[in-house]
Amino acid sequence: PSSLSFIGGLSSSSSSSMAEKCFKYVIIGGGVSAVAPYERPALSKGYMLPEGTLFLSLQYQLQLVGPNYWCCFSQFLVFTILQEQQDFQAFMSVLEVEEKNYYPSGMQRKARITLILSTEIVKADLASKTLTSAAGETFKYEVLIIATGSTVLRLEDFGIEGADAKNIFYLREIHDADKLVESIKNKKNGNALVVGGGYIGLELSAALKINDYNVSMVYPEPWCMPRLFTADMAAFYEGYYMKKGINIIKGTVAAGFVKEVKLKNGKMEAADIVVVGVGAKPLINLFKGQVEEEKGGIKTDAFFKTSVANVYAIGDVATFPMKMYGDMRRVEHVDHSRKSAEQAVKAIFASEQGKGIEDYHYLPYFYSRSFDLSWQFFGDNVGETVVFGNHDPQSEKPKFGTYWVKDGKVMGAFLESGTPEENQAIRKVAREQPAAPSLESLASEGLKFASKI
Ligand code: FAD
Ligand code: NAD
C-alpha cells in the first residue's frame, strides 16, 4: 500500500538531518500495546519460577526490552504482529532467525519500521508534532500513538521510612524481574515479605514460595484483591495460600523498613527480600495540559483518538468509552492493550481511506495464575454476587465461580480452574447479560447456567 512509503523506515532512509527524524506514524512506548512481542504477564509468573528464566532469556538476549524505548511502524506490521502474537512461542522461533534485530530478517525493511531502543522521550510538543529524546534528538510525526503504559507506585510515594533499601523490589520491566531472580538465587530458603494483596502480591508470593522462600504478605484491606474479589472468593485464595504455607497479615500497611519491616500495627517481619506491588499509575506527564484527561488517564473516543487531532492513546493510559456499561474507564490488562492497539490502527487506516469503523466494543477480561490455580473473569463486577461450586481451599480439586447480578441481569462471571470451553461459556454470559434467575438457582445451577446461554 502506498501509505507504507510515507514511513521514515530504517534510520538511513529517515529524512532531515541526524538530529531530526521524520516519520508518518510514531508510537511512544515499546510494551504490550505497542505490539512489540513483550509478554509482560510472564514476568510475575513463569519467569519467576526456578526453571522459568530460560523461556524469556531469548527475548533478553535479543535486547527486545530496553528500559525505555519507542518504535515507528506501519499498519502492515501491526496487523502481522497482532496475528503472530496469538502464538508467542511461534513468534519467538521466527525471531530466532536473526539475533540482535527486533524483526525477522527482511521484515523490517519490507514494512519500513524503525525500532529505537533505550530512548526516552522527555518532551512531547503536540502543537508542533515534535518529540524530543533525553539525548536531544527530535522526532517529527504525522500521527502519534501514545502507548507509554504505567509505572509502579513506590513506597517512597507514601513517604515510608527506609523505602529505598536495597532488598526492596518492584516488578514492571524485565530488568526488575532479573534483579529479583538474581536475589532469589543468591539466598536459598530466605524470608520474603510481599507488600500488597493485588495481582503482583498474589502472583509473586506464590512464585517466592515455589522458590522455597518463607513468605509473608501484608495488605491494608480486609481481604486480598478487593478490586475484584468478593469476601467469599478471597476466603478461598487466602485459605489456599495459607495451606501452601504463606503467612497473611491483613488490615495493616508497611510503615517503615529498618533492618526488619516495621508494620503500622507494630509487628516486625524479618525479610531478605521485600516485593512491593501497591498499584500502578499511568505515564501521561509528557502530555499534561496538552490533551484532555479523565479518570487519571488520557481521554479518548471509541477509536482511541484523543482530544488532539492525529494523536491516539492506547493500553493502560487510555480512558475510553466502555460501550457495554455506558461509562468511561481505564483498564490495566493485556487483553485491552492488544485490542485497543488493533482498534486504533484500524481506525487510522480506515480514516485514511475515507471510511469508518465500528465503535470499540470491549468486554472486560482479566485473568491470573498462581501455584496450580488459574482464574478468568469477564464483564462487570457490580451488583449482588453468588458463589457456586467447590470453594474449599482444603479440597484436592477446588473449582468454583461467581456471578454478579444487577437489575435482574448477570453482568459478570468468574471461574477458577475452568476448562477452555467453560471459560468460553462464562465469557458468553458476560457478553450477553442474560436475565438472572434467583440467586439460589444461580448458585445451584452454577456452570450449567452458563452452558445454556
Ligand atoms: P506497557 O506494557 O507498560 O508499555 C509501556 C512502554 O512505554 C514501556 O516499554 C515503557 O518503557 C515505555 N515508555 C514509557 N514512557 C516512555 C517515554 N517517555 N519514552 C519512551 N518510552 C516510554 N495483565 C493481564 O491482563 N494479565 C496478566 O497476567 C498481567 N500480568 C502482569 C504482570 C506484571 C509483572 C505487570 C507489571 C503487568 C501485568 N499485566 C497483566 C498488566 C499488563 O502488562 C499491562 O496492562 C500492559 O503491559 C499495558 O500495556 P501498555 O502497552 O499500555 O504499557
Ligand atoms: P493492584 O492495584 O492490583 O494491587 C495493589 C494492592 O496494594 C492493593 O491490594 C492495595 O490496597 C495494596 N496497597 C496499597 N497501598 C499499600 C501499602 N502501603 N501497603 C500494603 N499494601 C498496599 O496493583 P499491583 O498488584 O501492584 O499491580 C500493578 C499493575 O500490574 C496493575 O496495573 C495490575 O493490573 C498489573 N498486573 C496485572 C496482572 C494480571 O492481570 N494478572 C498481574 C500482575 C500485574
Side-chain angles (χ1 to χ4, degrees), residues 44-45 150 155 158 160 172 195-201 203 218-221 225-227 252-254 276-280 316 332-333 366-369 375:
S44 54
K45 304 177 188 69
S150 301
L155 290 175
F158 304 104
I160 291 173
R172 185 79 209 174
V195 181
Y199 286 96
I200 295 276
E203 291 178 5
V218 58
Y219 43 87
E221 295 92 354
M225 192 76 84
R227 280 204 283 170
T252 189
V253 295
V276 181
V278 293
D316 279 11
E332 293 176 359
H333 293 277
F366 314 144
Y367 65 87
S368 185
R369 290 189 298 275
W375 60 256

Side-chain angles (χ1 to χ4, degrees), residues 361-395:
H361 193 47
Y362 185 63
L363 175 71
Y365 164 44
F366 314 144
Y367 65 87
S368 185
R369 290 189 298 275
S370 58
F371 293 117
D372 44 5
L373 301 174
S374 171
W375 60 256
Q376 300 202 0
F377 164 81
F378 299 92
D380 208 10
N381 55 325
V382 289
E384 292 181 289
T385 58
V386 59
V387 66
F388 60 85
N390 173 2
H391 52 102
D392 175 1
Q394 304 307 327
S395 108

Side-chain angles (χ1 to χ4, degrees), residues 312-445:
Y312 293 73
I314 56 175
D316 279 11
V317 295
T319 303
F320 61 94
M322 184 72 86
K323 196 171 174 182
M324 285 194 74
Y325 311 123
D327 56 10
M328 298 288 288
R329 292 193 192 179
R330 215 168 52 70
V331 173
E332 293 176 359
H333 293 277
V334 289
D335 182 54
H336 159 71
S337 299
R338 294 181 182 129
K339 287 180 173 152
S340 60
E342 190 173 354
Q343 173 76 351
V345 171
K346 280 181 177 163
I348 293 167
F349 195 49
S351 76
E352 285 173 358
Q353 298 178 328
K355 293 183 191 159
I357 61 164
E358 301 222 331
D359 287 357
Y360 191 55
H361 193 47
Y362 185 63
L363 175 71
Y365 164 44
F366 314 144
Y367 65 87
S368 185
R369 290 189 298 275
S370 58
F371 293 117
D372 44 5
L373 301 174
S374 171
W375 60 256
Q376 300 202 0
F377 164 81
F378 299 92
D380 208 10
N381 55 325
V382 289
E384 292 181 289
T385 58
V386 59
V387 66
F388 60 85
N390 173 2
H391 52 102
D392 175 1
Q394 304 307 327
S395 108
E396 284 279 295
K397 282 204 165 167
K399 178 168 182 165
F400 73 98
T402 296
Y403 293 118
W404 280 260
V405 176
K406 193 177 167 215
D407 300 332
K409 290 190 290 188
V410 184
M411 300 296 290
F414 171 99
L415 187 57
E416 168 57 54
S417 300
T419 63
E421 295 73 31
E422 289 163 346
N423 287 327
Q424 279 312 310
I426 62 156
R427 175 195 286 264
K428 206 164 173 212
V429 168
R431 170 70 76 191
E432 301 202 359
Q433 301 175 1
S438 69
L439 291 182
E440 292 70 32
S441 316
L442 267 181
S444 63
E445 280 189 50

Side-chain angles (χ1 to χ4, degrees), residues 42-50 52 171 176-177 180-181 184 204 207 211:
L43 298 184
S44 54
K45 304 177 188 69
Y47 198 70
M48 281 294 142
L49 303 186
L171 186 58
D176 301 325
L180 183 53
V181 167
I184 292 171
L204 261 294
N211 277 289

Side-chain angles (χ1 to χ4, degrees), residues 96-339:
E96 224 167 340
V97 173
E98 190 180 347
E99 288 195 10
K100 291 209 165 54
N101 201 343
Y102 175 70
Y103 296 107
S105 181
M107 197 170 175
Q108 186 180 36
R109 189 172 295 276
K110 190 168 156 199
R112 293 181 174 231
I113 292 159
T114 303
L115 177 73
I116 304 171
L117 297 174
S118 305
T119 302
E120 186 182 4
I121 295 302
V122 293
K123 190 172 168 221
D125 183 349
L126 302 185
S128 65
K129 298 188 167 188
T130 309
L131 307 171
T132 310
S133 75
E137 287 175 296
T138 55
F139 304 93
K140 293 267 190 187
Y141 61 82
E142 289 177 37
V143 176
L144 178 68
I145 302 186
I146 301 168
T148 42
S150 301
T151 188
V152 293
L153 284 173
R154 304 184 70 85
L155 290 175
E156 290 94 315
D157 299 341
F158 304 104
I160 291 173
E161 179 195 338
D164 55 351
K166 281 209 174 67
N167 65 336
I168 301 182
F169 296 87
Y170 294 84
L171 186 58
R172 185 79 209 174
E173 303 287 350
I174 198 163
H175 57 88
D176 301 325
D178 285 333
K179 276 195 251 164
L180 183 53
V181 167
E182 201 189 316
S183 242
I184 292 171
K185 283 187 183 151
N186 285 345
K187 172 92 190 177
K188 300 269 177 235
N189 307 316
N191 291 326
L193 182 87
V194 175
V195 181
Y199 286 96
I200 295 276
L202 286 165
E203 291 178 5
L204 261 294
S205 13
L208 285 159
K209 192 73 213 172
I210 293 168
N211 277 289
D212 291 329
Y213 265 66
N214 296 317
V215 183
S216 296
M217 292 179 76
V218 58
Y219 43 87
E221 295 92 354
W223 64 75
C224 64
M225 192 76 84
R227 280 204 283 170
L228 178 64
F229 290 177
T230 62
D232 283 341
M233 292 161 70
F236 168 80
Y237 290 98
E238 289 174 355
Y240 194 94
Y241 274 49
M242 288 191 284
K243 185 173 89 175
K244 292 282 184 185
I246 292 175
N247 175 31
I248 295 182
I249 307 162
K250 300 194 268 188
T252 189
V253 295
F257 294 85
V258 199
K259 271 198 176 156
E260 297 172 319
V261 183
K262 191 161 87 192
L263 300 176
K264 222 172 191 169
N265 65 8
K267 286 182 200 150
M268 305 281 278
E269 291 290 317
D272 301 299
I273 287 180
V274 178
V275 175
V276 181
V278 293
K281 61 177 176 205
L283 281 169
I284 61 170
N285 273 350
L286 280 176
F287 314 99
K288 280 257 172 250
Q290 304 184 69
V291 69
E292 252 183 76
E293 290 177 27
E294 192 166 332
K295 296 187 175 167
I298 297 176
K299 186 180 175 184
T300 76
D301 64 10
F303 313 101
F304 297 97
K305 228 192 250 180
T306 70
S307 58
V308 177
N310 295 315
V311 178
Y312 293 73
I314 56 175
D316 279 11
V317 295
T319 303
F320 61 94
M322 184 72 86
K323 196 171 174 182
M324 285 194 74
Y325 311 123
D327 56 10
M328 298 288 288
R329 292 193 192 179
R330 215 168 52 70
V331 173
E332 293 176 359
H333 293 277
V334 289
D335 182 54
H336 159 71
S337 299
R338 294 181 182 129
K339 287 180 173 152

